[in-house]
Amino acid sequence: METRSAKRRKLRNPEHPSENNTGEDRITDLPNAVIHHILFLLPIKSIVQTSVLSKRWRTLWYTFPDLDFTTVIPSGTALTKFVYLKNLGNVITQILSLRHKLSNVRILRFCACMTFSGLHALIRTAVRLRVQELDIRVATNDTFNFPRSIIRSDCLRVLKVKSCPGFRLPPSRIMRSGFRTLQTLSLSFVHLDNQSYLLDMFTDSSFPQLRKLNLDSCFNLKHLRVGCRLLEELMLDNCSTLQVLDIMSPRLEILRVSSCFDSINIDNTLFQIDAPRLHTIVWANTSITGKSCMQNLVCLCEVTIGFLVRQENLDADKLRSVSSFLFGFSHTEFLTLESPFVEIMLKNNPLATIFFHPFVKLKSLELHTSEIRGLAKLLKVCPMIHTLIIKITNGLKTERRWNNRNVWDLSSSWEEQYWESQTNDLKPLLRFLRVVKIQGFSECENDIIILVKFLLQYGRVLQDLIFYPGDYTSRGYHRHEKFKSRIMGFTRASLDAKLAFY
């Protein structure tokens, strides 16, 4: 029997000039794997449309290994989208049932509204087709049990499950019996009413190949221990009931903790970590822990801190907890402190400076704040930074409007005297500081002007002062021009100091 490719070569033969006008179809002759790679660059709707081209292309659609249904979002009313998402699960199940046993699924991503039975049936079919990456975003009528068929998969590499209103995990002994090949795990909206202590789940024996772990909105999670040997990235988000976080992962490089820990029972909270390869940590909108123990953070480079703390609860014990936490990061090179932590530590808090430890290796300091006057307290403990970035936030901005010109002059004079009094303490900083970036200064121009005047007057190695205003209205333009003219008139201790306005 003549093959398709042989027939095309015969048609291209000069002996059949009348039939050689159809041209060359090089794409159809390519191997399936190559065509699949080309189709991967297209949305799945376009891939489905190719099935009408010929019998071969219809077969190609049935064997396409990467099924991403998240790219097909219908336009129209909310009711139209709801009906589409409600029917999508059944459509995907039918598509998977038509595939040949040898046409395995490499990637399956979808977002749908489904019943428990429909979801479990779909996942069983995907596991039977040896799916390697499974990304599920599903809405159900109520919380459901985690599909155990996933656990038994021997080829799953990536698993992401996000459900509303949520799902329940099986017992730890069941979870530990599978996931031999899993490398990425992301679980969102997990109900842990009966197992709030996950102490022996995320270990080498349970997840021997795990490299990325993301836990989001784990309800009633109190104690989490992570000890996977190959883990490189750990992200925790919205685990507000968390009390103890214990991490011992020798290859961990990135840690992100956001909106976690019990903000009421701070004294009972503990953060403990031993990660010799950790280079980045983000602690955002997260409460202070009563105790912290950080070991072997010898590679730590970038730290972002955004404590969720209240001024009325910040007594001496809480300040000691903050001090102990920051001391674990005292050897970092790039530090970012976010609002409102900066304001609370600097504004009306004379005890704050007592508990700060020097950041002797710090090269870059970024502050998200609206409190400019008290920055000297922080700059004293950062004596060797070469880059200072100040981003004015909206949280506690205070715009000054003086009706009396003399009152404004007295206030400015007092602030200038304050910065002058800090000259001796800031001498180490002024010997290293080279770059200053200030963003969004429209709401506290007077404070910024006085700070810039001080830096220009005493910064002998200063090279660049860069300003990014936050107000782009016509009125704001004239204010920025006045601001610029005042700044340009200041004397400069450094002949290399350049000012740039954007």
Side-chain angles (χ1 to χ4, degrees):
M1 182 177 181
E2 189 177 30
T3 63
R4 189 181 297 109
S5 58
K7 184 177 180 180
R8 286 193 174 87
R9 286 195 299 268
K10 183 178 179 180
L11 290 175
R12 291 193 293 267
N13 195 301
E15 296 180 0
H16 302 81
S18 60
E19 299 184 39
N20 195 32
N21 297 327
T22 57
E24 236 180 320
D25 185 2
R26 296 183 178 181
I27 296 181
T28 305
D29 289 337
L30 292 173
N32 285 2
V34 177
I35 299 180
H36 288 160
H37 181 72
I38 297 173
L39 294 179
F40 181 74
L41 305 175
L42 301 175
I44 196 168
K45 184 177 180 179
S46 301
I47 299 173
V48 175
Q49 292 173 345
T50 62
S51 62
V52 302
L53 298 177
S54 65
K55 293 182 179 180
R56 170 124 196 268
W57 283 94
R58 183 166 64 246
T59 306
L60 280 172
W61 158 240
Y62 288 148
T63 61
F64 187 67
D66 304 313
L67 304 177
D68 186 358
F69 294 93
T70 60
T71 60
V72 187
I73 303 296
S75 59
T77 63
L79 179 61
T80 302
K81 295 180 179 179
F82 173 76
V83 173
Y84 167 79
L85 294 176
K86 190 173 182 180
N87 295 327
L88 181 61
N90 295 329
V91 173
I92 296 175
T93 303
Q94 293 176 4
I95 291 174
L96 295 180
S97 63
L98 294 175
R99 298 176 72 94
H100 191 269
K101 292 182 179 181
L102 298 180
S103 303
N104 294 333
V105 176
R106 184 166 52 199
I107 299 175
L108 176 59
R109 303 189 189 112
F110 65 89
C111 178
C113 300
M114 302 185 67
T115 62
F116 307 146
S117 58
L119 177 62
H120 283 251
L122 191 154
I123 292 176
R124 284 195 299 270
T125 305
V127 171
R128 179 177 56 83
L129 294 172
R130 304 186 65 80
V131 63
Q132 297 181 27
E133 179 178 339
L134 185 59
D135 188 345
I136 303 171
R137 282 167 278 178
V138 63
T140 55
N141 295 330
D142 199 355
T143 56
F144 62 92
N145 294 326
F146 187 81
R148 298 193 180 188
S149 56
I150 298 178
I151 302 175
R152 296 190 295 269
S153 174
D154 59 354
C155 58
L156 192 64
R157 302 289 187 274
V158 178
L159 175 61
K160 299 179 181 180
V161 181
K162 184 174 183 179
S163 172
C164 183
F167 58 94
R168 294 178 294 268
L169 290 179
S172 297
R173 57 181 178 81
I174 302 297
M175 293 286 286
R176 293 197 306 268
S177 64
F179 299 117
R180 299 291 94 186
T181 59
L182 196 65
Q183 297 179 3
T184 299
L185 176 63
S186 177
L187 302 177
S188 301
F189 296 96
V190 185
H191 292 264
L192 298 168
D193 298 334
N194 297 325
Q195 46 179 330
S196 58
Y197 289 78
L198 297 181
L199 303 180
D200 55 355
M201 180 177 294
F202 298 107
T203 60
D204 286 339
S205 59
S206 305
F207 294 90
Q209 301 295 327
L210 192 63
R211 286 170 171 78
K212 293 184 179 180
L213 175 61
N214 179 20
L215 299 178
D216 178 16
S217 302
C218 294
F219 304 109
N220 202 35
L221 176 61
K222 296 181 179 179
H223 194 160
L224 175 63
R225 180 184 296 164
V226 180
C228 299
R229 180 175 52 87
L230 299 181
L231 190 67
E232 298 174 355
E233 183 175 340
L234 173 61
M235 292 178 287
L236 300 176
D237 194 12
N238 293 316
C239 299
S240 58
T241 59
L242 187 64
Q243 295 179 356
V244 179
L245 175 59
D246 187 0
I247 303 172
M248 185 176 293
S249 298
R251 297 192 181 184
L252 186 66
E253 297 179 356
I254 300 175
L255 172 64
R256 302 179 188 274
V257 182
S258 176
S259 303
C260 293
F261 283 100
D262 191 344
S263 60
I264 299 177
N265 300 318
I266 296 177
D267 297 333
N268 298 324
T269 56
L270 169 65
F271 172 57
Q272 186 169 283
I273 184 171
D274 186 345
R277 291 192 183 182
L278 185 69
H279 64 72
T280 301
I281 181 170
V282 178
W283 195 273
N285 197 33
T286 298
S287 300
I288 304 171
T289 56
K291 297 180 181 179
S292 57
C293 180
M294 305 174 199
Q295 299 178 350
N296 296 325
L297 302 185
V298 293
C299 294
L300 192 61
C301 182
E302 299 181 21
V303 177
T304 299
I305 302 295
F307 280 127
L308 181 62
V309 60
R310 297 179 181 178
Q311 176 69 46
E312 59 272 15
N313 296 333
L314 197 61
D315 53 16
D317 292 336
K318 302 299 186 299
L319 284 172
R320 289 190 183 91
S321 299
V322 173
S323 175
S324 176
F325 190 91
L326 293 177
F327 180 71
F329 309 135
S330 58
H331 289 77
T332 186
E333 296 183 1
F334 302 91
L335 176 64
T336 300
L337 298 178
E338 297 183 340
S339 178
F341 170 65
V342 179
E343 285 88 347
I344 293 176
M345 295 300 293
L346 299 182
K347 187 177 182 181
N348 302 323
N349 199 339
L351 293 176
T353 55
I354 299 176
F355 298 97
F356 276 131
H357 296 275
F359 292 86
V360 292
K361 294 185 178 181
L362 193 64
K363 296 180 180 179
S364 175
L365 175 64
E366 180 174 328
L367 301 173
H368 300 183
T369 180
S370 61
E371 183 61 35
I372 304 301
R373 299 183 190 178
L375 288 185
K377 299 176 183 178
L378 270 178
L379 297 180
K380 290 177 185 178
V381 297
C382 305
M384 301 180 67
I385 62 172
H386 60 69
T387 300
L388 174 63
I389 304 173
I390 301 175
K391 294 185 178 182
I392 308 301
T393 59
N394 296 321
L396 299 173
K397 283 184 182 178
T398 55
E399 182 178 3
R400 299 182 186 177
R401 296 179 180 177
W402 303 103
N403 295 325
N404 190 321
R405 176 71 179 178
N406 294 329
V407 175
W408 189 90
D409 290 338
L410 288 173
S411 175
S412 300
S413 176
W414 181 89
E415 291 187 23
E416 290 183 13
Q417 292 176 6
Y418 167 77
W419 281 104
E420 290 284 344
S421 66
Q422 306 296 318
T423 305
N424 289 332
D425 293 332
L426 295 177
K427 274 185 178 179
L429 169 72
L430 298 170
R431 287 198 297 263
F432 288 94
L433 188 62
R434 286 176 170 78
V435 179
V436 177
K437 300 179 181 180
I438 302 176
Q439 178 177 329
F441 53 82
S442 301
E443 298 296 335
C444 50
E445 291 182 5
N446 187 49
D447 294 340
I448 294 295
I449 288 175
I450 296 172
L451 172 61
V452 171
K453 182 179 180 181
F454 172 79
L455 295 176
L456 285 173
Q457 186 176 356
Y458 294 99
R460 297 189 178 278
V461 297
L462 198 61
Q463 295 178 355
D464 295 290
L465 261 81
I466 305 172
F467 301 91
Y468 302 90
D471 186 359
Y472 294 95
T473 62
S474 57
R475 177 174 174 269
Y477 173 79
H478 295 295
R479 290 177 59 188
H480 298 155
E481 288 299 311
K482 293 180 180 179
F483 174 86
K484 180 178 178 180
S485 62
R486 291 190 64 184
I487 296 294
M488 296 297 293
F490 293 150
T491 59
R492 309 176 191 182
S494 173
L495 298 177
D496 297 328
K498 299 177 183 178
L499 278 66
F501 299 83
Y502 296 96

